[in-house]
Amino acid sequence: MLILLFELLAVAAIAIMLLCHPRRDDILAVLIGVAAGFTDLQVARVHVFTILVFVWVLFKLARRMNKTVTLVLVLSMSTTLVASTVLIGDLVVNPTLALQLIALTVAAAALALYSTPDDQRRMLHGLLFILTFSGMVAIAQVAQIIPSEVSLIVPDQLIHLEISSIGRPSGLTPEPDWLGMMSGIGIFLAFSLDLRRWVRVLALGICSVSWLLAFARAAWVGVLIVVVLLALPIILNRNRALRSSFQQGRGFAVSIVAVVLAVTTVVVSGVSTDLWNRLRQTVAGAMGSTVPGDDGGLARFQQVDSLLYLAEHSPFYGHGLSAAGRVGVSGKLYLTGPSPNSVASNWVLGLWVDARYLAIPFFLLIAYVLVRSFSTLPGRILALVCFCSLISNATYFPVFWLALGLSLCAIAARSSREAATPDVTTPYSSMYRSRSVRRWPGARR
């Protein structure tokens, strides 16, 4: 109780200082992005990200809303359907998860309705800052500057020496898998945002190295899939704007990072062998099998079997939100009594168990948003999180809802452009470039 009191006093003190600052809107936007880079930064079991969004939107209510009202209504109704199952489900583990889902939905809706392009740029710059710092912490853990078994969030973090002989770092996240996903997001941010050349090279290099050393196969495959989908229009000569972006310093940064990754793989002892073994496990998992010693892959298959069993024996409204958490890490079912989890490792199967047919509107909305916004930076971030969440569920992390809210803005902006000038395409990075953002550290001048 005393710790909670101190946390509340600290938040109150920060809030008062922000309210008195002449550029409070800009600072809040950056802090929202920073808070989105944490997986479990909470006060009184409420994400700091959500609190900051609520404070930020209070200063935005007087401005005109974006043309995202329809999409926000669909989002609100679809998540409300899912959350309502907590009242009727027979295997509910954590009823408060419904409140968390609603709060995150409201935060995403607020971002979609009231954020301006400048707000969005500042949020993404704040997110890139914290992800780059997390990557630096991860590299320091591998280099034993910070002991590998120490995480700044969860002490005594397991380092998985059976996967990587130098240890799997966790950075500012509780698990290496989530470090891989967050570093992948950092790669896309560092590539796409309008940055100075040296800042781009530094951020892209740090995030790429931590992405590699996390040995998170979902993050590896997810980043590669998104890159391939981005490269296809270039190969087919249908995206000249993306092609021209390589002439703006991005090609140089990518070349430098490729050299750094190659040197890291060759020079650091044991990395090349560990990478080869991890790649074999990844390919085997994609083909529906496992290799000897891949306990993690075997556990994933057992989790899927248990989730399918629960879904098969559920009513049309599912077993209730958080019921999928009754599938343990090893795939064991906890059908009676408490369960150590509240969500499943696979977000699609987890929601199918929780809400079954009531989750279909949410699935359709996410699919629509991914298709319509993939050409934008928030859409690519959302796509990476959705893919990684098939292995390690991150859909209750703030970064998912930040990307979702900004993707709704991108869809509305695209629809407006198509209605006004349907034959004009927007330059690749113009959505994230303005004079105002150049005042922020790291923005290109």
Side-chain angles (χ1 to χ4, degrees):
M1 181 61 69
L2 185 60
I3 295 177
L4 175 60
L5 178 62
F6 282 134
E7 290 177 343
L8 293 175
L9 289 175
V11 171
I14 293 173
I16 292 173
M17 287 189 292
L18 286 175
L19 292 175
C20 298
H21 199 282
R23 297 185 63 185
R24 57 175 179 260
D25 292 359
D26 298 346
I27 296 174
L28 278 171
V30 174
L31 290 179
I32 287 171
V34 171
F38 290 90
T39 61
D40 201 24
L41 183 62
Q42 300 181 355
V43 175
R45 302 189 69 179
V46 179
H47 285 289
V48 172
F49 164 81
T50 305
I51 298 172
L52 289 172
V53 172
F54 288 171
V55 174
W56 168 83
V57 79
L58 290 177
F59 302 103
K60 298 289 184 176
L61 291 175
R63 72 175 301 272
R64 185 178 179 181
M65 290 189 298
N66 298 326
K67 297 179 180 180
T68 55
V69 177
T70 302
L71 290 173
V72 166
L73 288 176
V74 174
L75 171 63
S76 301
M77 290 187 292
S78 62
T79 53
T80 300
L81 277 176
V82 174
S84 66
T85 61
V86 77
L87 302 174
I88 54 179
D90 59 338
L91 293 177
V92 174
V93 175
N94 181 13
T96 60
L97 188 64
L99 298 177
Q100 184 177 343
L101 176 61
I102 292 173
L104 289 169
T105 299
V106 173
L111 294 174
L113 289 171
Y114 292 104
S115 65
T116 64
D118 281 345
D119 292 329
Q120 297 162 24
R121 281 187 286 267
R122 293 185 180 103
M123 291 174 190
L124 295 176
H125 275 82
L127 179 60
L128 175 60
F129 167 78
I130 196 63
L131 296 186
T132 303
F133 182 74
S134 179
M136 292 174 60
V137 172
I139 295 172
Q141 290 173 343
V142 172
Q144 297 184 356
I145 298 174
I146 298 175
S148 298
E149 67 272 12
V150 175
S151 169
L152 298 183
I153 302 297
V154 180
D156 301 324
Q157 177 68 38
L158 297 177
I159 57 175
H160 303 168
L161 289 175
E162 71 279 5
I163 296 175
S164 171
S165 58
I166 61 173
R168 296 179 68 191
S170 56
L172 296 179
T173 65
E175 295 184 11
D177 286 343
W178 292 335
L179 170 66
M181 182 194 73
M182 291 296 190
S183 298
I185 294 173
I187 290 172
F188 292 134
L189 288 169
F191 180 83
S192 301
L193 290 175
D194 192 30
L195 304 170
R196 301 173 186 173
R197 173 176 289 191
W198 68 268
V199 175
R200 189 187 313 282
V201 171
L202 183 64
L204 194 58
I206 291 173
C207 291
S208 298
V209 172
S210 60
W211 169 75
L212 178 73
L213 297 181
F215 285 86
R217 44 190 165 190
W220 288 352
V221 177
V223 169
L224 292 178
I225 288 177
V226 174
V227 169
V228 169
L229 292 177
L230 282 175
L232 285 178
I234 299 179
I235 297 173
L236 299 176
N237 200 29
R238 294 180 57 186
N239 195 334
R240 294 190 181 95
L242 183 57
R243 182 190 294 272
S244 66
S245 68
F246 281 90
Q247 301 173 359
Q248 302 172 2
R250 292 179 172 85
F252 172 78
V254 171
S255 301
I256 295 296
V257 170
V259 172
V260 170
L261 291 178
V263 170
T264 301
T265 303
V266 173
V267 173
V268 180
S269 176
V271 170
S272 58
T273 302
D274 295 332
L275 283 174
W276 172 246
N277 292 333
R278 195 62 166 167
L279 288 173
R280 286 176 54 242
Q281 295 174 356
T282 304
V283 173
M287 297 177 64
S289 61
T290 59
V291 298
D294 186 11
D295 296 333
L298 181 60
R300 302 294 183 191
F301 285 114
Q302 292 172 341
Q303 291 170 17
V304 170
D305 291 340
S306 297
L307 288 170
L308 291 175
Y309 172 83
L310 284 178
E312 183 181 354
H313 295 83
S314 66
F316 75 92
Y317 52 81
H319 289 296
L321 186 64
S322 75
R326 293 194 175 274
V327 178
V329 175
S330 64
K332 178 182 177 181
L333 283 173
Y334 298 86
L335 296 179
T336 58
S339 174
N341 303 315
S342 296
V343 297
S345 58
N346 184 306
W347 76 279
V348 174
L349 291 179
L351 279 179
W352 190 245
V353 169
D354 290 345
R356 202 157 187 182
Y357 295 112
L358 298 186
I360 290 178
F362 184 72
F363 290 144
L364 294 177
L365 173 66
I366 295 300
Y368 172 79
V369 172
L370 288 174
V371 171
R372 290 283 292 170
S373 67
F374 184 77
S375 60
T376 68
L377 177 56
R380 292 191 288 275
I381 294 174
L382 183 64
L384 177 60
V385 176
C386 286
F387 182 85
C388 290
S389 295
L390 296 174
I391 305 298
S392 295
N393 193 349
T395 53
Y396 288 92
F397 292 168
V399 70
F400 175 84
W401 298 93
L402 173 69
L404 180 56
L406 300 190
S407 295
L408 296 181
C409 290
I411 293 173
R414 177 179 176 180
S415 299
S416 298
R417 290 194 303 268
E418 291 175 348
T421 53
D423 57 335
V424 176
T425 57
T426 299
Y428 173 70
S429 60
S430 63
M431 181 179 177
Y432 302 100
R433 183 185 299 119
S434 74
R435 292 182 179 179
S436 60
V437 78
R438 293 175 187 174
R439 296 192 296 263
W440 291 91
R444 190 174 63 183
R445 294 179 179 176

